[in-house]
Amino acid sequence: MSLINESVSWKSLEVHSKSIKQQHLRDLLSDQKRNDTLNASHSGIYLDFSRENVTTETIDLLLKLAEDSDFDRKRAAFIGGQHINSTENRAVLHVALRAPRDKVLLVDGVNVIPAVHEVLDKIENFASRVRDGVWRGSTGKPIDTIVSVGIGGSFLGPE
């Protein structure tokens, strides 16, 4: 399997990128048809891409890159809880972190949402206790400074 940055669609986007960087945004904004085309709205969210150094050709090239990279299948695997983290042979659970309690997300035949919300509840409880001054440091004083050390994006909760 070849890398995406070796594909024709990637190379086309690279060539386009060099030319679009030469255009000043002020000049792009003077094209009202472009401005009218480069926006979208959905569910009350308005996106205005006209304020970026892009053209409709840029969007077309990005969509072609997505198509050539099999983006739709990969997105479905991501959302569907398939093992797409190849280094750890596990599902990535970003969508589970944002899912409501009644959502079902099966990973290896198990709904992971209850376990995710159990950890989220513990985090919420801990944060509330720190904010309310109930959880105190070793000196007995309320905690006023937190240092958070990340452990990566695909793991949830301490072992």
Side-chain angles (χ1 to χ4, degrees), residues 67-86:
E67 178 185 325
D68 291 352
S69 67
D70 203 13
F71 176 80
D72 288 337
R73 182 188 61 77
K74 292 175 182 176
R75 180 185 59 209
F78 168 73
I79 292 171
Q82 294 180 26
H83 287 226
I84 63 169
N85 178 335
S86 58

Side-chain angles (χ1 to χ4, degrees), residues 84-90:
I84 63 169
N85 178 335
S86 58
T87 58
E88 299 175 15
N89 188 27
R90 65 191 309 163

Side-chain angles (χ1 to χ4, degrees), residues 91-111:
V92 294
L93 299 176
H94 303 79
V95 293
L97 285 172
R98 292 155 182 85
R101 290 182 187 278
D102 60 348
K103 173 93 172 147
V104 174
L105 176 59
L106 298 177
V107 175
D108 300 328
V110 176
N111 181 14

Side-chain angles (χ1 to χ4, degrees), residues 16-114:
H16 174 74
S17 173
K18 289 175 184 168
S19 70
I20 199 75
K21 285 179 184 177
Q22 302 303 312
Q23 293 188 281
H24 197 284
L25 184 58
R26 182 182 332 105
D27 297 328
L28 292 171
L29 287 170
S30 68
D31 181 351
Q32 191 58 48
K33 182 178 177 189
R34 172 193 165 274
N35 299 342
D36 293 341
T37 303
L38 292 174
N39 63 69
S41 61
H42 186 17
S43 300
I45 298 173
Y46 179 74
L47 302 171
D48 184 358
F49 300 109
S50 70
R51 305 297 189 234
E52 300 296 329
N53 249 31
V54 298
T55 63
T56 55
E57 181 184 3
T58 312
I59 302 298
D60 291 342
L61 289 168
L62 286 167
L63 290 172
K64 177 68 173 142
L65 179 66
E67 178 185 325
D68 291 352
S69 67
D70 203 13
F71 176 80
D72 288 337
R73 182 188 61 77
K74 292 175 182 176
R75 180 185 59 209
F78 168 73
I79 292 171
Q82 294 180 26
H83 287 226
I84 63 169
N85 178 335
S86 58
T87 58
E88 299 175 15
N89 188 27
R90 65 191 309 163
V92 294
L93 299 176
H94 303 79
V95 293
L97 285 172
R98 292 155 182 85
R101 290 182 187 278
D102 60 348
K103 173 93 172 147
V104 174
L105 176 59
L106 298 177
V107 175
D108 300 328
V110 176
N111 181 14
V112 298
I113 300 300

